[in-house]
């Protein structure tokens, strides 16, 4: 099948093509694509989409930023769970090409960065020729029709404990792959903020669960851990209804959740 390739030197040209070419699809550096669309345009080479802007409380990066580009910012300047997630992705050669947007927007299942970005309350900026939309990752379902993901805003939270883990094979994604992220902020022997996120065959993060944990006195007792485990299991199993999830992946999530809260004992 013949392929039609379009090129853009900047965001304006990219949005122009998206407006005027029916059925045009956006790709990055194609590290996660088995078959190219019939008509496509790459974000590769668009400088505006590869910039990283550092601020006191957040990082803003273009959607075509590569995994290696963000790793090169250094572990002292980005949240620890995000740095560990970036470092766990594939091989250095793949990280040199794979983009942040490509990792976030995979349709088949959520890839490695989704859970840590979800736990960090990242937000996505989408643009078309006439409008800009900011969508928190927590509320994201799919790319709005006719829009392009242009940037990702990642808060840099003040956390005391963070945990990142991924399941499945080391250098590629399969049906056993998922990522897990946890953060906790403590103050005066109390838990004042916590985030718990899972992403793989589906996405899990429960604001109700997190809110119910605010104010827990520290250190947690074993009784507290059991109660929290039960709450997590109820919320997770509710979210996992009708989802294709291996028992081993489910159990790994519960093990990681328990491990994370045991850091507060």
């Amino acid at each position: 099948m013949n392929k039609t390739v379009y090129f853009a030197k900047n965001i304006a040209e990219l949005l122009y093509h998206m407006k005027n070419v029916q059925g045009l699809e956006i790709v990055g550096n194609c590290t996660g694509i088995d078959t190219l669309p019939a008509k496509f345009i790459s974000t590769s080479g668009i400088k505006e989409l590869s910039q990283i802007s550092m601020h006191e409380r957040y990082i803003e990066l273009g959607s075509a930023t590569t995994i290696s580009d963000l790793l090169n910012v250094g572990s002292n300047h980005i949240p620890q769970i995000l740095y560990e997630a970036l470092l766990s992705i594939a091989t250095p050669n793949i990280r040199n090409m794979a983009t942040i947007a490509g990792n976030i927007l995979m349709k088949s299942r959520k890839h490695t960065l989704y859970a840590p970005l979800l736990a960090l309350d990242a937000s996505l900026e989408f643009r078309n020729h006439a409008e800009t939309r900011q969508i928190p990752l927590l509320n994201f379902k799919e790319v709005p029709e006719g829009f392009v993901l242009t940037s990702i805003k990642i808060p840099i939270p003040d956390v005391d404990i963070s945990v990142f883990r991924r399941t499945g094979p080391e250098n590629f994604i399969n049906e056993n792959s998922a990522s897990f992220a946890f953060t906790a902020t403590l103050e005066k022997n109390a838990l004042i903020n916590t985030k718990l996120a899972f992403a793989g065959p589906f996405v899990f993060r429960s604001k109700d669960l997190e809110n119910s944990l605010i104010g827990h006195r520290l250190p947690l007792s074993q009784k507290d851990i059991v109660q929290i485990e039960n709450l997590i299991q109820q919320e997770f199993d509710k979210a996992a209804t009708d989802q294709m999830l291996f028992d081993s992946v489910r159990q790994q999530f519960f093990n990681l959740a328990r491990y994370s809260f045991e850091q507060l004992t």
Side-chain angles (χ1 to χ4, degrees), residues 28-80:
N29 288 328
C30 304
T31 56
I33 298 177
D34 294 325
T35 304
L36 287 168
K39 291 184 285 187
F40 67 92
I41 186 168
S42 175
T43 57
S44 179
I46 301 179
K47 187 175 181 181
E48 298 161 273
L49 295 180
S50 301
Q51 295 178 338
I52 299 174
S53 179
M54 303 294 298
H55 303 268
E56 184 177 356
R57 301 305 303 165
Y58 68 92
I59 307 168
E60 190 161 12
L61 50 126
S63 56
T65 302
T66 67
I67 306 298
S68 290
D69 287 339
L70 190 49
L71 273 171
N72 289 338
V73 171
S75 60
N76 293 330
H77 302 289
I78 61 177
Q80 185 64 27

Side-chain angles (χ1 to χ4, degrees), residues 93-136:
N93 286 339
I94 296 297
R95 293 198 291 266
N96 287 339
M97 298 177 61
T99 64
I100 304 298
N103 195 280
I104 295 172
L105 299 180
M106 294 300 293
K107 294 179 180 179
S108 56
R109 65 188 296 122
K110 302 306 181 186
H111 282 211
T112 304
L113 296 183
Y114 210 95
L117 290 175
L118 190 62
L120 291 168
D121 286 324
S123 62
L124 311 178
E125 178 189 90
F126 294 93
R127 290 173 57 182
N128 67 9
H129 67 285
E131 183 185 354
T132 299
R133 296 184 188 177
Q134 298 284 345
I135 302 179

Side-chain angles (χ1 to χ4, degrees), residues 174-224:
N174 70 6
E175 64 275 6
N176 292 305
S177 298
S179 58
F180 171 94
F182 171 86
T183 66
T185 304
L186 321 177
E187 186 176 290
K188 295 182 179 179
N189 297 322
L191 182 61
I192 64 169
N193 197 2
T194 186
K195 308 286 176 60
L196 181 69
F198 167 91
F202 72 102
V203 173
F204 171 77
R205 184 178 161 204
S206 171
K207 294 285 285 185
D208 289 341
L209 170 66
E210 293 168 358
N211 289 337
S212 73
L213 298 175
I214 294 174
H216 258 78
R217 303 303 299 173
L218 300 176
L220 297 178
S221 67
Q222 285 305 308
K223 181 180 178 181
D224 292 329

Side-chain angles (χ1 to χ4, degrees), residues 149-183:
L149 175 59
T150 50
S151 69
I152 300 101
K153 184 177 180 179
I154 307 170
I156 304 175
D158 184 13
V159 301
D160 296 288
I161 294 172
S162 66
V163 176
F164 167 80
R165 297 288 189 276
R166 57 175 291 180
T167 66
E170 186 174 350
N171 289 326
F172 63 94
I173 301 294
N174 70 6
E175 64 275 6
N176 292 305
S177 298
S179 58
F180 171 94
F182 171 86
T183 66

